[in-house]
Amino acid sequence: MLRRHLFFCLLLLLLLVLQTTLVPRMGNFWGQIDLILVLTVAYALLAGPSRGAVFGMTAGFLRAIASGPTLGLYAVVLYVIGYSVGQFSQLMYRKSMLVPWVVGLVSTACYWLLMTVMVGGLYGFWIGTGYWLGLPVSVLLNSVLVALMYALLYKHQQQEVARGRG
Amino acid sequence: MLSFWRRNRGFIVFSLILVVLIGLASHKASQQQAPPSPLEELILRGLAPFSRASSLVVQRINTFLNDVKGLLSLRARNYELEAELAALRLRMNLLVEAERENQRLRQLLKYQEANPALDLKLAKIISIGQNPWQQDVIIDQGSQHGVKVNTAVITHQGFVGRVYEVHPTTAKVVLVIDARGPIAAQVQETRVRGTLEADPNNPGMLRMIRLAREAAIRPGDAIVTAGTGALNLPKGILVGYVEAVTPTPDGLQLEASVRPAVNFDSLEDVLLVLSSEEH
């Protein structure tokens, strides 16, 4: 169990570093990738609402510490996303890649909506059409990554179970 | 006699031919300049096409054998060369990177020399947070290096942003194109003042607001920091250029669309304005 938690912590830290160093240098198109969101959604799909929420909150805090507008802003949004996505964990057929993809689509759109509302409410900065043009690309890229990430984590989980550590 | 011939026929014929051949060779050797005899000429002409064909075949076979031999060593050589090429490419990339860094630092140094009134410190960007709701970076200088909250961050191109959170060895910088980055600014030429903030409709752009309807501001005008306001930023640092000027929806004021002077996509090294004599 401890090993599994350590694995997710290290994965989160790795993606956090990539998100703040590599992704912003990848240009406008690939720069829409949000690895922390992807990991939160994939984890929540596997672990359920409670763990998903806790993971989202932790990831949000870490992200805000690494680079963020306000400590807690990402934590709130990712907490909600983690909890909501976790609700689907019991409804889905685990080997399917379609459900994670659809959940990735919806959760990325919700993430945009929640972030817009939070930043708009906190700073009075309501993003306009120019910013929203990035939404389709973001939704597409992140949903594909959610499906891939879910498949990898699911495989990892199965291997852990087979080894008797699950 | 006949029995001797019968017994040694082979040896005798062999010896005779050998003697003739030696004689012929020694004769030819003594007459190198002499023209070939008609018989030689005839034989040579008759043999020439065959010789040519044979030579061609032999040549081809030789080439083929050499190719096969070469191919065997070619793979190993190719592998060696590829490794060498990869190493050279890596080296070249490092050199190009070093050259670019050198250029960037030279530009920053030049800026520092041209602005002796500013106490500048070089910092490297180590982390970037860029999405529609967040435009900030983390630099490798903190309170231990004299960085304070609201320290202005610039490059040789212009104003980048200001420090909003300081740690011992790092600091968070909010870029001027972030929602939290409004600053007091003015038109360099006419000294008209206004507030510069992120444009919520155009990513990466700024807008200058609170401009009087008759304010003297035109496209192409340079916008600089005003040096006023609570942020205590140094005065006169270039922020961007006016692209368009339009009246506000209520028609009472003007609003200017400003393109930042700094290219935020390629930001790597910045200068921190630790103190300014002008301010």
Side-chain angles (χ1 to χ4, degrees):
Chain A
M1 200 66 166
L2 186 70
R3 200 185 167 99
R4 200 175 151 202
H5 286 314
L6 193 68
F7 168 76
F8 279 107
C9 283
L10 289 175
L11 188 60
L12 176 60
L13 287 174
L14 174 72
L15 295 188
L16 193 67
V17 170
L18 292 179
Q19 182 65 43
T20 53
T21 52
L22 179 72
V23 175
R25 303 260 187 236
M26 285 164 55
N28 283 341
F29 184 82
W30 297 105
Q32 298 289 343
I33 289 173
D34 194 319
L35 295 172
I36 308 301
L37 172 70
V38 166
L39 183 61
T40 302
V41 173
Y43 180 85
L45 274 175
L46 274 176
S50 309
R51 286 185 182 179
V54 172
F55 187 87
M57 189 176 67
T58 313
F61 274 125
L62 278 175
R63 183 172 183 164
I65 291 166
S67 81
T70 305
L71 195 69
L73 176 68
Y74 282 116
V76 170
V77 174
L78 289 175
Y79 178 81
V80 173
I81 295 281
Y83 182 79
S84 312
V85 169
Q87 300 291 340
F88 291 89
S89 65
Q90 287 149 0
L91 302 175
M92 62 182 286
Y93 176 56
R94 299 219 149 200
K95 278 184 183 167
S96 164
M97 293 259 288
L98 183 70
V99 177
W101 181 66
V102 175
V103 171
L105 283 177
V106 178
S107 54
T108 307
C110 290
Y111 175 75
W112 269 64
L113 203 66
L114 286 171
M115 282 299 290
T116 304
V117 170
M118 290 291 289
V119 174
L122 282 170
Y123 304 113
F125 185 79
W126 297 93
I127 57 170
T129 44
Y131 285 94
W132 284 102
L133 289 175
L135 177 65
V137 178
S138 178
V139 163
L140 190 72
L141 289 177
N142 288 328
S143 59
V144 171
L145 285 177
V146 164
L148 291 174
M149 180 71 81
Y150 175 81
L152 283 173
L153 295 182
Y154 179 72
K155 201 175 166 187
H156 174 78
Q157 193 189 44
Q158 293 304 102
Q159 282 171 350
E160 291 282 288
V161 170
R163 284 185 205 141
R165 289 179 193 139
Chain B
M1 183 67 181
L2 199 63
S3 64
F4 177 80
W5 165 251
R6 276 181 190 160
R7 266 187 280 130
N8 299 299
R9 190 173 51 189
F11 179 74
I12 293 166
V13 171
F14 171 77
S15 302
L16 281 174
I17 291 173
L18 186 68
V19 169
V20 171
L21 286 176
I22 291 170
L24 190 68
S26 59
H27 173 70
K28 274 286 174 192
S30 64
Q31 294 188 334
Q32 275 185 3
Q33 301 297 322
S37 66
L39 184 66
E40 273 181 273
E41 188 73 37
L42 191 70
I43 293 169
L44 211 61
R45 277 196 186 175
L47 284 177
F50 298 102
S51 299
R52 209 171 288 138
S54 165
S55 156
L56 202 68
V57 170
V58 170
Q59 239 175 21
R60 290 269 162 92
I61 289 171
N62 263 342
T63 311
F64 174 74
L65 288 175
N66 280 336
D67 283 352
V68 171
K69 204 175 159 188
L71 268 175
L72 293 174
S73 62
L74 202 62
R75 186 169 289 174
R77 182 75 183 134
N78 189 36
Y79 184 76
E80 270 174 33
L81 286 172
E82 271 181 7
E84 202 174 320
L85 185 68
L88 284 171
R89 274 190 183 148
L90 184 71
R91 211 167 168 186
M92 198 179 79
N93 275 344
L94 289 174
L95 283 173
V96 169
E97 276 297 304
E99 193 188 326
R100 283 185 187 154
E101 187 177 21
N102 195 331
Q103 275 175 359
R104 284 199 310 272
L105 296 177
R106 268 175 195 279
Q107 283 169 332
L108 294 178
L109 187 69
K110 214 182 278 176
Y111 185 89
Q112 191 162 16
E113 283 168 358
N115 296 275
L118 301 174
D119 177 14
L120 302 173
K121 189 168 185 64
L122 186 71
K124 267 194 183 303
I125 288 172
I126 55 171
S127 172
I128 307 166
Q130 267 180 326
N131 59 48
W133 313 277
Q134 173 198 359
Q135 302 284 345
D136 53 23
V137 295
I138 296 181
I139 52 172
D140 66 347
Q141 302 285 311
S143 55
Q144 285 177 1
H145 311 99
V147 182
K148 293 172 188 160
V149 170
N150 286 334
T151 295
V153 182
I154 61 173
T155 69
H156 66 285
Q157 293 174 319
F159 187 74
V160 172
R162 61 182 171 83
V163 172
Y164 73 95
E165 199 176 296
V166 186
H167 300 270
T169 54
T170 58
K172 288 184 181 179
V173 176
V174 59
L175 305 184
V176 69
I177 51 172
D178 186 281
R180 297 159 290 160
I183 55 166
Q186 62 187 31
V187 181
Q188 192 173 40
E189 192 70 24
T190 59
R191 315 312 283 176
V192 169
R193 283 189 181 166
T195 302
L196 205 57
E197 61 174 24
D199 188 338
N201 293 312
N202 295 311
M205 289 288 285
L206 298 163
R207 65 177 182 184
M208 196 166 178
I209 55 169
R210 292 184 194 133
L211 294 165
R213 211 171 62 170
E214 62 279 359
I217 181 169
R218 290 170 306 177
D221 281 349
I223 305 295
V224 296
T225 51
T228 56
L231 299 177
N232 212 25
L233 297 173
K235 192 178 178 181
I237 293 175
L238 180 69
V239 186
Y241 296 95
V242 175
E243 282 218 329
V245 181
T246 49
T248 53
D250 57 15
L252 296 174
Q253 290 181 324
L254 289 179
E255 198 177 281
S257 176
V258 178
R259 180 170 293 280
V262 173
N263 181 4
F264 292 101
D265 292 333
S266 58
L267 217 52
E268 285 182 54
D269 303 293
V270 290
L271 290 169
L272 303 168
V273 186
L274 297 182
S275 67
S276 155
E277 284 171 25
E278 284 174 14
H279 194 79

